[in-house]
């Protein structure tokens, strides 16, 4: 996907995904929880941001890859931070639906 340049993308890209008060950065926790290198977790986090963008602009439901879903699950477990992120950046709560 070509990097978008609009205001939504800028907000998604610049928002710190680390939960307020957390002692570990989002990417570090993602790597630790999944047995990944920090470099890979950083790449997955970048892909997660692209997925979040697509949820807003695709005009239809989009499905993340397995590794991106792991990032989404981590973000969801930080419930206050996730809810705040959705409101501040996406303009409303982004629900996670299990595949059927």
């Amino acid at each position: 996907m070509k990097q978008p340049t609009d205001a939504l993308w800028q907000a998604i890209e610049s928002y710190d995904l680390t939960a307020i008060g957390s002692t570990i950065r989002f990417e570090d926790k993602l790597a630790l929880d999944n047995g990944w290198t920090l470099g890979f977790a950083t790449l997955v986090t970048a892909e997660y941001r692209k997925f979040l963008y697509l949820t807003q602009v695709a005009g239809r439901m989009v499905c993340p890859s397995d590794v991106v879903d792991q990032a989404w699950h981590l973000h969801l477990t930080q419930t206050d931070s996730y809810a705040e992120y959705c409101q501040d950046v996406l303009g409303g709560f982004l629900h996670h639906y299990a595949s059927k």
Side-chain angles (χ1 to χ4, degrees):
M1 173 175 122
K2 183 179 176 191
Q3 293 287 72
T5 58
D6 59 44
L8 173 61
W9 175 250
Q10 297 302 321
I12 288 171
E13 187 176 47
S14 65
Y15 200 96
D16 187 357
L17 295 175
T18 302
I20 295 171
S22 179
T23 59
I24 185 170
R25 289 181 332 122
F26 184 85
E27 293 86 348
D28 292 319
K29 177 87 169 115
L30 186 61
L32 183 65
D33 287 357
N34 291 284
W36 299 337
T37 66
L38 178 56
F40 185 71
T42 300
L43 291 173
V44 171
T45 301
E47 292 302 309
Y48 174 55
R49 291 179 190 279
K50 292 175 188 175
F51 165 74
L52 291 169
Y53 182 79
L54 284 174
T55 67
Q56 303 304 298
V57 301
R60 59 182 168 79
M61 188 176 290
V62 294
C63 182
S65 67
D66 182 56
V67 294
V68 169
D69 197 43
Q70 296 308 310
W72 195 7
H73 282 222
L74 173 59
H75 202 186
L76 283 163
T77 64
Q78 302 167 354
T79 55
D80 290 339
S81 177
Y82 181 75
E84 182 179 290
Y85 175 86
C86 288
Q87 189 60 47
D88 290 353
V89 177
L90 306 180
F93 196 82
L94 177 61
H95 292 274
H96 183 288
Y97 299 102
S99 62
K100 294 181 179 181

